[in-house]
PDB file of all heavy atoms in Angstrom:
ATOM      1  N   VAL S  25      -5.090 -59.709 -78.123  1.00 66.00           N
ATOM      2  CA  VAL S  25      -3.996 -59.489 -77.267  1.00 66.00           C
ATOM      3  C   VAL S  25      -3.428 -58.112 -77.382  1.00 66.00           C
ATOM      4  O   VAL S  25      -3.051 -57.362 -76.455  1.00 66.00           O
ATOM      5  CB  VAL S  25      -2.871 -60.605 -77.468  1.00 66.00           C
ATOM      6  CG1 VAL S  25      -1.638 -60.204 -76.728  1.00 66.00           C
ATOM      7  CG2 VAL S  25      -3.268 -61.964 -77.079  1.00 66.00           C
ATOM      8  N   LEU S  26      -3.393 -57.642 -78.633  1.00 71.00           N
ATOM      9  CA  LEU S  26      -2.858 -56.287 -78.933  1.00 71.00           C
ATOM     10  C   LEU S  26      -3.769 -55.203 -78.331  1.00 71.00           C
ATOM     11  O   LEU S  26      -3.368 -54.296 -77.689  1.00 71.00           O
ATOM     12  CB  LEU S  26      -2.759 -56.048 -80.390  1.00 71.00           C
ATOM     13  CG  LEU S  26      -2.219 -54.689 -80.855  1.00 71.00           C
ATOM     14  CD1 LEU S  26      -0.847 -54.422 -80.274  1.00 71.00           C
ATOM     15  CD2 LEU S  26      -2.220 -54.553 -82.449  1.00 71.00           C
ATOM     16  N   LEU S  27      -5.055 -55.431 -78.484  1.00 71.00           N
ATOM     17  CA  LEU S  27      -5.986 -54.470 -77.885  1.00 71.00           C
ATOM     18  C   LEU S  27      -5.958 -54.479 -76.410  1.00 71.00           C
ATOM     19  O   LEU S  27      -6.071 -53.438 -75.727  1.00 71.00           O
ATOM     20  CB  LEU S  27      -7.489 -54.770 -78.381  1.00 71.00           C
ATOM     21  CG  LEU S  27      -7.786 -54.525 -79.844  1.00 71.00           C
ATOM     22  CD1 LEU S  27      -9.139 -55.061 -80.120  1.00 71.00           C
ATOM     23  CD2 LEU S  27      -7.638 -53.055 -80.151  1.00 71.00           C
ATOM     24  N   ALA S  28      -5.842 -55.557 -75.868  1.00 67.00           N
ATOM     25  CA  ALA S  28      -5.714 -55.751 -74.323  1.00 67.00           C
ATOM     26  C   ALA S  28      -4.485 -55.004 -73.837  1.00 67.00           C
ATOM     27  O   ALA S  28      -4.509 -54.229 -72.832  1.00 67.00           O
ATOM     28  CB  ALA S  28      -5.753 -57.188 -73.897  1.00 67.00           C
ATOM     29  N   GLY S  29      -3.312 -55.121 -74.600  1.00 66.00           N
ATOM     30  CA  GLY S  29      -2.151 -54.438 -74.262  1.00 66.00           C
ATOM     31  C   GLY S  29      -2.277 -52.960 -74.317  1.00 66.00           C
ATOM     32  O   GLY S  29      -1.775 -52.214 -73.438  1.00 66.00           O
ATOM     33  N   LEU S  30      -2.852 -52.531 -75.468  1.00 66.00           N
ATOM     34  CA  LEU S  30      -3.048 -51.139 -75.623  1.00 66.00           C
ATOM     35  C   LEU S  30      -3.981 -50.554 -74.501  1.00 66.00           C
ATOM     36  O   LEU S  30      -3.744 -49.386 -74.056  1.00 66.00           O
ATOM     37  CB  LEU S  30      -3.637 -50.856 -77.054  1.00 66.00           C
ATOM     38  CG  LEU S  30      -2.723 -51.170 -78.224  1.00 66.00           C
ATOM     39  CD1 LEU S  30      -3.500 -50.939 -79.514  1.00 66.00           C
ATOM     40  CD2 LEU S  30      -1.586 -50.178 -78.130  1.00 66.00           C
ATOM     41  N   SER S  31      -4.998 -51.355 -74.152  1.00 66.00           N
ATOM     42  CA  SER S  31      -5.851 -50.775 -73.160  1.00 66.00           C
ATOM     43  C   SER S  31      -5.233 -50.707 -71.756  1.00 66.00           C
ATOM     44  O   SER S  31      -5.336 -49.704 -71.009  1.00 66.00           O
ATOM     45  CB  SER S  31      -7.070 -51.771 -72.947  1.00 66.00           C
ATOM     46  OG  SER S  31      -7.841 -51.749 -74.132  1.00 66.00           O
ATOM     47  N   ALA S  32      -4.369 -51.703 -71.443  1.00 63.00           N
ATOM     48  CA  ALA S  32      -3.585 -51.687 -70.210  1.00 63.00           C
ATOM     49  C   ALA S  32      -2.643 -50.456 -70.292  1.00 63.00           C
ATOM     50  O   ALA S  32      -2.484 -49.743 -69.258  1.00 63.00           O
ATOM     51  CB  ALA S  32      -2.846 -52.920 -70.029  1.00 63.00           C
ATOM     52  N   TRP S  33      -1.929 -50.260 -71.344  1.00 58.00           N
ATOM     53  CA  TRP S  33      -1.062 -49.090 -71.443  1.00 58.00           C
ATOM     54  C   TRP S  33      -1.698 -47.809 -71.249  1.00 58.00           C
ATOM     55  O   TRP S  33      -1.235 -46.876 -70.589  1.00 58.00           O
ATOM     56  CB  TRP S  33      -0.311 -49.183 -72.776  1.00 58.00           C
ATOM     57  CG  TRP S  33       0.660 -48.002 -72.992  1.00 58.00           C
ATOM     58  CD1 TRP S  33       1.961 -47.981 -72.605  1.00 58.00           C
ATOM     59  CD2 TRP S  33       0.370 -46.777 -73.567  1.00 58.00           C
ATOM     60  NE1 TRP S  33       2.513 -46.789 -72.957  1.00 58.00           N
ATOM     61  CE2 TRP S  33       1.591 -46.019 -73.502  1.00 58.00           C
ATOM     62  CE3 TRP S  33      -0.806 -46.193 -74.078  1.00 58.00           C
ATOM     63  CZ2 TRP S  33       1.666 -44.681 -73.973  1.00 58.00           C
ATOM     64  CZ3 TRP S  33      -0.695 -44.904 -74.569  1.00 58.00           C
ATOM     65  CH2 TRP S  33       0.547 -44.128 -74.495  1.00 58.00           C
ATOM     66  N   TYR S  34      -2.934 -47.686 -71.869  1.00 57.00           N
ATOM     67  CA  TYR S  34      -3.701 -46.437 -71.814  1.00 57.00           C
ATOM     68  C   TYR S  34      -4.155 -46.177 -70.356  1.00 57.00           C
ATOM     69  O   TYR S  34      -4.056 -45.107 -69.800  1.00 57.00           O
ATOM     70  CB  TYR S  34      -4.925 -46.553 -72.682  1.00 57.00           C
ATOM     71  CG  TYR S  34      -5.788 -45.302 -72.611  1.00 57.00           C
ATOM     72  CD1 TYR S  34      -5.390 -44.116 -73.174  1.00 57.00           C
ATOM     73  CD2 TYR S  34      -7.019 -45.404 -71.865  1.00 57.00           C
ATOM     74  CE1 TYR S  34      -6.196 -43.014 -73.075  1.00 57.00           C
ATOM     75  CE2 TYR S  34      -7.844 -44.204 -71.793  1.00 57.00           C
ATOM     76  CZ  TYR S  34      -7.421 -43.054 -72.390  1.00 57.00           C
ATOM     77  OH  TYR S  34      -8.222 -41.914 -72.263  1.00 57.00           O
ATOM     78  N   VAL S  35      -4.544 -47.236 -69.691  1.00 54.00           N
ATOM     79  CA  VAL S  35      -4.987 -47.088 -68.263  1.00 54.00           C
ATOM     80  C   VAL S  35      -3.904 -46.672 -67.424  1.00 54.00           C
ATOM     81  O   VAL S  35      -4.040 -45.792 -66.508  1.00 54.00           O
ATOM     82  CB  VAL S  35      -5.665 -48.414 -67.783  1.00 54.00           C
ATOM     83  CG1 VAL S  35      -5.891 -48.290 -66.208  1.00 54.00           C
ATOM     84  CG2 VAL S  35      -7.012 -48.736 -68.506  1.00 54.00           C
ATOM     85  N   LEU S  36      -2.655 -47.178 -67.675  1.00 54.00           N
ATOM     86  CA  LEU S  36      -1.562 -46.928 -66.796  1.00 54.00           C
ATOM     87  C   LEU S  36      -0.986 -45.456 -67.109  1.00 54.00           C
ATOM     88  O   LEU S  36      -0.401 -44.869 -66.255  1.00 54.00           O
ATOM     89  CB  LEU S  36      -0.410 -48.000 -66.973  1.00 54.00           C
ATOM     90  CG  LEU S  36      -0.796 -49.283 -66.453  1.00 54.00           C
ATOM     91  CD1 LEU S  36       0.289 -50.370 -66.731  1.00 54.00           C
ATOM     92  CD2 LEU S  36      -0.972 -49.328 -64.993  1.00 54.00           C
ATOM     93  N   HIS S  37      -1.010 -45.099 -68.403  1.00 55.00           N
ATOM     94  CA  HIS S  37      -0.321 -43.930 -68.807  1.00 55.00           C
ATOM     95  C   HIS S  37      -1.255 -42.697 -69.076  1.00 55.00           C
ATOM     96  O   HIS S  37      -0.750 -41.611 -69.512  1.00 55.00           O
ATOM     97  CB  HIS S  37       0.545 -44.211 -69.971  1.00 55.00           C
ATOM     98  CG  HIS S  37       1.621 -45.120 -69.706  1.00 55.00           C
ATOM     99  ND1 HIS S  37       1.441 -46.532 -69.728  1.00 55.00           N
ATOM    100  CD2 HIS S  37       2.931 -44.865 -69.352  1.00 55.00           C
ATOM    101  CE1 HIS S  37       2.617 -47.113 -69.407  1.00 55.00           C
ATOM    102  NE2 HIS S  37       3.485 -46.126 -69.150  1.00 55.00           N
ATOM    103  N   ARG S  38      -2.569 -42.896 -68.969  1.00 53.00           N
ATOM    104  CA  ARG S  38      -3.407 -41.684 -69.244  1.00 53.00           C
ATOM    105  C   ARG S  38      -3.192 -40.632 -68.216  1.00 53.00           C
ATOM    106  O   ARG S  38      -2.974 -40.915 -67.051  1.00 53.00           O
ATOM    107  CB  ARG S  38      -4.851 -42.179 -69.301  1.00 53.00           C
ATOM    108  CG  ARG S  38      -5.415 -42.560 -67.916  1.00 53.00           C
ATOM    109  CD  ARG S  38      -6.923 -42.918 -68.042  1.00 53.00           C
ATOM    110  NE  ARG S  38      -7.394 -43.405 -66.781  1.00 53.00           N
ATOM    111  CZ  ARG S  38      -8.650 -43.681 -66.531  1.00 53.00           C
ATOM    112  NH1 ARG S  38      -9.550 -43.580 -67.547  1.00 53.00           N
ATOM    113  NH2 ARG S  38      -9.077 -44.070 -65.353  1.00 53.00           N
ATOM    114  N   ARG S  39      -3.380 -39.371 -68.541  1.00 52.00           N
ATOM    115  CA  ARG S  39      -3.217 -38.243 -67.669  1.00 52.00           C
ATOM    116  C   ARG S  39      -4.401 -38.030 -66.790  1.00 52.00           C
ATOM    117  O   ARG S  39      -5.584 -38.025 -67.300  1.00 52.00           O
ATOM    118  CB  ARG S  39      -3.071 -37.001 -68.616  1.00 52.00           C
ATOM    119  CG  ARG S  39      -2.796 -35.747 -67.700  1.00 52.00           C
ATOM    120  CD  ARG S  39      -2.508 -34.540 -68.542  1.00 52.00           C
ATOM    121  NE  ARG S  39      -1.215 -34.707 -69.294  1.00 52.00           N
ATOM    122  CZ  ARG S  39      -0.813 -33.813 -70.183  1.00 52.00           C
ATOM    123  NH1 ARG S  39      -1.505 -32.776 -70.491  1.00 52.00           N
ATOM    124  NH2 ARG S  39       0.369 -34.031 -70.865  1.00 52.00           N
ATOM    125  N   LYS S  40      -4.179 -38.012 -65.508  1.00 53.00           N
ATOM    126  CA  LYS S  40      -5.267 -37.850 -64.588  1.00 53.00           C
ATOM    127  C   LYS S  40      -5.753 -36.401 -64.602  1.00 53.00           C
ATOM    128  O   LYS S  40      -5.000 -35.492 -64.683  1.00 53.00           O
ATOM    129  CB  LYS S  40      -4.872 -38.094 -63.125  1.00 53.00           C
ATOM    130  CG  LYS S  40      -4.506 -39.551 -62.874  1.00 53.00           C
ATOM    131  CD  LYS S  40      -4.074 -39.814 -61.461  1.00 53.00           C
ATOM    132  CE  LYS S  40      -3.795 -41.314 -61.244  1.00 53.00           C
ATOM    133  NZ  LYS S  40      -3.313 -41.535 -59.844  1.00 53.00           N
ATOM    134  N   GLU S  41      -7.071 -36.229 -64.473  1.00 57.00           N
ATOM    135  CA  GLU S  41      -7.662 -34.882 -64.471  1.00 57.00           C
ATOM    136  C   GLU S  41      -7.447 -34.240 -63.112  1.00 57.00           C
ATOM    137  O   GLU S  41      -7.584 -34.869 -62.054  1.00 57.00           O
ATOM    138  CB  GLU S  41      -9.156 -34.926 -64.660  1.00 57.00           C
ATOM    139  CG  GLU S  41      -9.570 -35.393 -66.080  1.00 57.00           C
ATOM    140  CD  GLU S  41     -11.025 -35.395 -66.235  1.00 57.00           C
ATOM    141  OE1 GLU S  41     -11.832 -35.008 -65.293  1.00 57.00           O
ATOM    142  OE2 GLU S  41     -11.506 -35.797 -67.317  1.00 57.00           O
ATOM    143  N   PRO S  42      -6.931 -32.975 -63.045  1.00 65.00           N
ATOM    144  CA  PRO S  42      -6.584 -32.360 -61.771  1.00 65.00           C
ATOM    145  C   PRO S  42      -7.777 -32.077 -60.897  1.00 65.00           C
ATOM    146  O   PRO S  42      -8.916 -31.757 -61.497  1.00 65.00           O
ATOM    147  CB  PRO S  42      -5.884 -31.057 -62.206  1.00 65.00           C
ATOM    148  CG  PRO S  42      -6.414 -30.759 -63.579  1.00 65.00           C
ATOM    149  CD  PRO S  42      -6.680 -32.089 -64.154  1.00 65.00           C
ATOM    150  N   ASP S  43      -7.642 -32.210 -59.550  1.00 64.00           N
ATOM    151  CA  ASP S  43      -8.729 -31.839 -58.623  1.00 64.00           C
ATOM    152  C   ASP S  43      -8.639 -30.378 -58.354  1.00 64.00           C
ATOM    153  O   ASP S  43      -7.727 -29.899 -57.640  1.00 64.00           O
ATOM    154  CB  ASP S  43      -8.614 -32.628 -57.309  1.00 64.00           C
ATOM    155  CG  ASP S  43      -9.754 -32.453 -56.398  1.00 64.00           C
ATOM    156  OD1 ASP S  43     -10.605 -31.628 -56.705  1.00 64.00           O
ATOM    157  OD2 ASP S  43      -9.832 -33.193 -55.362  1.00 64.00           O
ATOM    158  N   ILE S  44      -9.609 -29.566 -58.874  1.00 72.00           N
ATOM    159  CA  ILE S  44      -9.526 -28.109 -58.763  1.00 72.00           C
ATOM    160  C   ILE S  44     -10.219 -27.617 -57.548  1.00 72.00           C
ATOM    161  O   ILE S  44     -10.351 -26.341 -57.371  1.00 72.00           O
ATOM    162  CB  ILE S  44     -10.076 -27.432 -60.059  1.00 72.00           C
ATOM    163  CG1 ILE S  44     -11.528 -27.876 -60.231  1.00 72.00           C
ATOM    164  CG2 ILE S  44      -9.192 -27.884 -61.281  1.00 72.00           C
ATOM    165  CD1 ILE S  44     -12.241 -27.109 -61.385  1.00 72.00           C
ATOM    166  N   ARG S  45     -10.778 -28.437 -56.645  1.00 77.00           N
ATOM    167  CA  ARG S  45     -11.407 -28.042 -55.498  1.00 77.00           C
ATOM    168  C   ARG S  45     -10.411 -27.260 -54.547  1.00 77.00           C
ATOM    169  O   ARG S  45      -9.318 -27.782 -54.347  1.00 77.00           O
ATOM    170  CB  ARG S  45     -12.081 -29.151 -54.706  1.00 77.00           C
ATOM    171  CG  ARG S  45     -13.235 -29.785 -55.486  1.00 77.00           C
ATOM    172  CD  ARG S  45     -13.796 -30.914 -54.582  1.00 77.00           C
ATOM    173  NE  ARG S  45     -12.745 -31.924 -54.338  1.00 77.00           N
ATOM    174  CZ  ARG S  45     -12.957 -32.844 -53.451  1.00 77.00           C
ATOM    175  NH1 ARG S  45     -13.989 -32.925 -52.707  1.00 77.00           N
ATOM    176  NH2 ARG S  45     -11.967 -33.721 -53.184  1.00 77.00           N
ATOM    177  N   PRO S  46     -10.776 -26.102 -54.011  1.00 79.00           N
ATOM    178  CA  PRO S  46      -9.800 -25.414 -53.079  1.00 79.00           C
ATOM    179  C   PRO S  46      -9.667 -26.180 -51.803  1.00 79.00           C
ATOM    180  O   PRO S  46     -10.545 -26.813 -51.205  1.00 79.00           O
ATOM    181  CB  PRO S  46     -10.544 -24.064 -52.835  1.00 79.00           C
ATOM    182  CG  PRO S  46     -11.939 -24.366 -53.033  1.00 79.00           C
ATOM    183  CD  PRO S  46     -12.083 -25.344 -54.124  1.00 79.00           C
ATOM    184  N   VAL S  47      -8.356 -26.122 -51.329  1.00 82.00           N
ATOM    185  CA  VAL S  47      -7.991 -26.779 -50.035  1.00 82.00           C
ATOM    186  C   VAL S  47      -8.213 -25.804 -48.946  1.00 82.00           C
ATOM    187  O   VAL S  47      -7.729 -24.696 -48.929  1.00 82.00           O
ATOM    188  CB  VAL S  47      -6.534 -27.256 -50.131  1.00 82.00           C
ATOM    189  CG1 VAL S  47      -6.140 -27.916 -48.783  1.00 82.00           C
ATOM    190  CG2 VAL S  47      -6.381 -28.231 -51.260  1.00 82.00           C
ATOM    191  N   VAL S  48      -9.008 -26.207 -47.975  1.00 81.00           N
ATOM    192  CA  VAL S  48      -9.261 -25.406 -46.840  1.00 81.00           C
ATOM    193  C   VAL S  48      -9.154 -26.190 -45.511  1.00 81.00           C
ATOM    194  O   VAL S  48      -9.273 -27.419 -45.507  1.00 81.00           O
ATOM    195  CB  VAL S  48     -10.655 -24.737 -46.917  1.00 81.00           C
ATOM    196  CG1 VAL S  48     -10.787 -23.766 -48.084  1.00 81.00           C
ATOM    197  CG2 VAL S  48     -11.820 -25.815 -46.968  1.00 81.00           C
TER     198      VAL S  48
END
Side-chain angles (χ1 to χ4, degrees):
V25 172
L26 179 61
L27 288 174
L30 289 174
S31 298
W33 180 88
Y34 177 75
V35 170
L36 293 174
H37 294 85
R38 67 178 179 177
R39 181 177 296 176
K40 296 182 179 179
E41 294 182 2
D43 189 350
I44 60 174
R45 293 180 301 167
V47 179
V48 295

